[in-house]
Amino acid sequence: MDSGPVPSQPPPASEQPEAAQLVLTPHAHTAPQQHAAAGAGVAVAARKDINRLVPHSARVWDYLLGGHDHYEADRDAAEAFRELYPAVAELMAVQQAFRNRAVRYLTQQGVRQFIDIGPGLPSPGREAHAADTHTTARSAAEGTRVVYVDNDPLVIAHARALLTGGPECTVGHVDADLTDTRTVLAGAAQHLDLHQPAAVLLSGVMGHIDDTEEAHAIVRSLMDGLAPGSFLVLSDATTTSAALTKAQDAYNATGAFPYRLRTPTQIAGFFTGLDPVQPGLVPPALWRPGVSPISPANTDARCAVAMTPLSSPGRPTTPSKQLSGEKEPTR
């Protein structure tokens, strides 16, 4: 979400009018006119739940992707990460681009329902490959419904204020924790018909679950709650770079909510029991890139799209051969 130039720290609440809007510290290159549109309707009440002194992944991501909803702690953490791993912004951008190509592909397959879990902050005005899910879905097919799921107060506040999809795309939001799959699905069912196929989007999210078996179980629970013929769209960063691992360890030590990198094989495990869509598990830039693939092609992340079987008397207990993950040396 874009916001305009304001002081580096918001004024104390006692100095603000009762109807004041939530104001975030912007990046220095923001156009002033963007601030009013971005902040409109975002209640100041959300501020009490926001810790400006500790980096937050959604705000760090926003900064690295050229957004403006971040504080000094987020910028400092992002630049420290970038110093150790210069390709971090590209790593995030290719995952967003993959997600949006997957959304467009799935609309071509007839999918009209998407559940985007952990979407981060909205980003009006960014390049097409980094557009928000509802924007991509709306441009791909009329009648598409998108539900955003998050439990971060800032993300939810912005979702309530700004995520209106217009007549071509209905947008809903659910305030829920990823680990509480029952609440996630129940909330999604308030906006979608879960008796019909839907797609779950998990872009750079599952690393927030430290235990790999628990992370796999969460995804299984989500997919088991959807109709046959539903899809999982998932990407995450990998342990294939010593520099990325070092940068992630340093970030985790800041007091921010930690993030766990996984091997390609562990990421393949999220798709156990699902039918993979070609080309299977690949670096994000290599998933159906079209005529203009985004560089660099071989980033330290893996992604795939897979479908729940139309009939599944007995799902396999190991990843399919196509999604078994490749063994790669750490660089």
Side-chain angles (χ1 to χ4, degrees), residues 242-317:
L244 175 56
T245 300
K246 183 178 180 180
Q248 189 64 63
D249 289 344
Y251 174 84
N252 292 347
T254 64
F257 197 81
Y259 201 90
R260 175 173 180 175
L261 303 176
R262 291 192 164 91
T263 66
T265 298
Q266 289 172 327
I267 293 176
F270 287 113
F271 299 92
T272 295
L274 306 181
D275 297 331
V277 171
Q278 291 286 352
L281 190 77
V282 293
L286 298 182
W287 195 89
R288 296 178 177 264
V291 295
S292 300
I294 295 176
S295 297
N298 189 28
T299 48
D300 296 301
R302 295 295 180 271
C303 70
V305 175
M307 185 182 74
T308 57
L310 295 176
S311 60
S312 54
R315 292 187 180 180
T317 57

Side-chain angles (χ1 to χ4, degrees), residues 143-156:
T144 304
R145 293 176 176 266
V146 175
V147 172
Y148 289 106
V149 181
D150 211 300
N151 68 342
D152 176 75
L154 179 58
V155 173
I156 290 298

Side-chain angles (χ1 to χ4, degrees), residues 114-242:
F114 296 89
I115 306 171
D116 191 347
I117 302 177
L121 292 163
S123 55
R126 290 198 190 141
E127 299 86 350
H129 71 265
D132 299 306
T133 298
H134 72 284
T135 302
T136 301
R138 178 173 55 196
S139 66
E142 293 186 4
T144 304
R145 293 176 176 266
V146 175
V147 172
Y148 289 106
V149 181
D150 211 300
N151 68 342
D152 176 75
L154 179 58
V155 173
I156 290 298
H158 279 305
R160 288 171 175 160
L162 295 178
L163 297 183
T164 54
E168 300 88 359
C169 177
T170 302
V171 179
H173 64 269
V174 176
D175 187 347
D177 190 286
L178 167 63
T179 61
D180 186 359
T181 58
R182 180 174 296 182
T183 298
V184 170
L185 292 169
Q190 298 298 311
H191 305 276
L192 309 176
D193 178 4
L194 297 189
H195 294 96
Q196 299 298 319
V200 170
L201 313 179
L202 293 163
S203 179
V205 172
M206 294 311 299
H208 286 304
I209 308 301
D210 181 67
D211 183 84
T212 298
E213 290 187 7
E214 179 187 1
H216 288 167
I218 288 169
V219 172
R220 284 197 301 271
S221 179
L222 289 169
M223 301 311 296
D224 285 346
L226 300 179
S230 293
F231 289 86
L232 172 63
V233 177
L234 183 147
S235 68
D236 234 324
T238 57
T239 57
T240 49
S241 164

